[in-house]
Amino acid sequence: MIEARVKLAPRPIQPLATGRPGRYEDDRVVVDRVKGDLGGRGVQQVGWVRTPHFEVGRQDQRIHVVHWLPISRIDDDLTGLLATELFDPGWVCGADAFERIFTGVVLSSFEEPLDGWEQFYRNTLDRLLQAPSGLAGARGSIDGYRPVYERAISLVAPGAILELGCCFGFLSLQLAARGDVHVLASDVSAGTVSLLDAVQSRLGTHVRTLVANAARVPLPDQCVDTVLAVHLLEHLDDDDCTAVFAQALRLARHRVVIAVPFEAERSVELGHVRIFDLKSLAAVARDLPSGWQARVSEHHGGWLVIDRTRE
């Protein structure tokens, strides 16, 4: 198992940092892109591992990854690809390493960082609009979470929307494209929010953004019609989960929509710290205040929808 060993805490990921074309490097990882397919060539160094799309090893106390992905593959399916080829077999471990390698693959594929992220967003959003294949999507794949986004969008009425833990903001961007909602996307990661801000002007969309911990959102009570927390709670411990649920109820005038994946085991590389089933998801709302009504259902994971019954 490959782990980076550095004495000092690594610096945060800089998703818009410039570097040498074809390479990304930070305190923990180095990612290089090479042209062509290396499948027929030998592994470049002793102790390195080759997968269908990557070579990985360790050098100078950092994880080194080489990839040969075409530009058409630079989309959010990188999540499943990295998990399947590098993290599930144990060649690399840890959520921090996952995020850094993910960023490195995108940035090493383009000369200018913003060009890379724009293409990443466009590829992903285009894939989300494609007709479903009818096959079950792999974990972390676009096909896997397309039906999750579709259901979330169907549960949102026109009005003001707040998405907690928006990550890249794909759901918020799709909602904004409807034209009948005003979307505020929030995330605890300042880097992720700055990336969404930088890219959306190129995409021609308008989503307001906010850097905020979902357990302590600096907004007034009942400031939006609907609050979304889609695939957020699995990243939180019990105390934070309770706090986020309370925040969502405080901020929503009409509805709160919560979605979680149902997993047999935690996806540690994705930062998941807990697993849910219908019973544990329903328990999130067991101390629901008066004036609210909750319902739990299953659709490509679990759904908890809470509506205000008394204005």
Side-chain angles (χ1 to χ4, degrees):
M1 184 178 294
I2 301 168
E3 299 181 28
R5 299 186 180 96
V6 293
K7 295 182 180 179
L8 300 177
R11 287 168 290 188
I13 298 170
Q14 300 296 324
L16 295 174
T18 57
R20 193 178 86 188
R23 165 169 284 206
Y24 167 87
E25 57 183 317
D26 63 23
D27 294 339
R28 290 202 68 197
V29 308
V30 177
V31 180
D32 287 302
R33 180 177 184 265
V34 296
K35 295 182 179 180
D37 186 351
L38 297 189
R41 306 181 195 176
V43 177
Q44 64 175 336
Q45 295 192 50
V46 175
W48 284 48
V49 172
R50 165 119 5 120
T51 74
H53 299 96
F54 306 99
E55 280 186 359
V56 61
R58 197 181 66 185
Q59 186 176 0
D60 302 326
Q61 298 186 330
R62 291 188 293 182
I63 301 166
H64 284 239
V65 176
V66 178
H67 75 95
W68 44 96
L69 292 169
I71 300 305
S72 61
R73 295 294 301 273
I74 304 303
D75 58 29
D76 208 38
D77 269 353
L78 283 173
T79 300
L81 201 61
L82 289 172
T84 300
E85 294 191 19
L86 299 185
F87 286 80
D88 288 351
W91 306 127
V92 191
C93 67
D96 181 68
F98 188 94
E99 293 176 6
R100 292 175 186 274
I101 294 171
F102 189 108
T103 300
V105 171
V106 175
L107 293 186
S108 63
S109 299
F110 298 82
E111 291 190 9
E112 296 295 330
L114 195 51
D115 291 343
W117 288 114
E118 179 186 357
Q119 193 63 54
F120 166 79
Y121 270 82
R122 290 190 183 279
N123 287 349
T124 302
L125 292 169
D126 286 347
R127 288 278 311 282
L128 284 169
L129 294 175
Q130 292 176 7
S133 65
L135 302 175
R139 176 170 59 92
S141 71
I142 295 171
D143 285 345
Y145 62 70
R146 181 189 292 109
V148 175
Y149 285 174
E150 289 174 347
R151 179 165 176 80
I153 292 169
S154 74
L155 292 169
V156 173
I161 313 301
L162 168 64
E163 183 185 3
L164 300 175
C166 70
C167 192
F168 286 118
F170 297 127
L171 176 56
S172 285
L173 289 169
Q174 290 183 92
L175 277 166
R178 271 181 27 177
D180 61 353
V181 295
H182 300 282
V183 183
L184 174 60
S186 72
D187 198 273
V188 70
S189 169
T192 300
V193 171
S194 66
L195 178 60
L196 177 57
D197 280 332
V199 169
Q200 68 168 316
S201 62
R202 291 190 173 200
L203 300 176
T205 56
H206 178 64
V207 172
R208 293 187 299 129
T209 59
L210 174 69
V211 179
N213 186 323
R216 298 182 296 277
V217 183
L219 293 172
D221 295 354
Q222 298 188 38
C223 61
V224 295
D225 295 296
T226 303
V227 173
L228 300 172
V230 175
H231 286 206
L232 171 62
L233 298 192
E234 64 271 18
H235 297 268
L236 308 175
D237 61 23
D238 288 343
D239 290 342
D240 282 341
C241 182
T242 299
V244 168
F245 183 68
Q247 284 287 291
L249 295 181
R250 179 183 69 81
L251 295 165
R253 285 191 287 266
H254 303 301
R255 172 170 282 186
V256 173
V257 177
I258 293 171
V260 296
F262 285 166
E263 301 175 302
E265 297 180 353
R266 292 181 294 120
S267 296
V268 177
E269 73 282 357
L270 301 182
H272 296 183
V273 301
R274 62 193 299 176
I275 58 175
F276 282 94
D277 55 20
L278 283 175
K279 182 178 180 181
S280 57
L281 180 58
V284 172
R286 62 172 169 257
D287 296 323
L288 196 64
S290 61
W292 291 92
Q293 184 176 31
R295 65 182 189 274
V296 177
S297 60
E298 184 172 354
H299 179 77
H300 297 270
W303 294 82
L304 174 60
V305 179
I306 311 102
D307 289 307
R308 192 183 292 273
T309 61
R310 186 182 68 228
E311 302 297 336

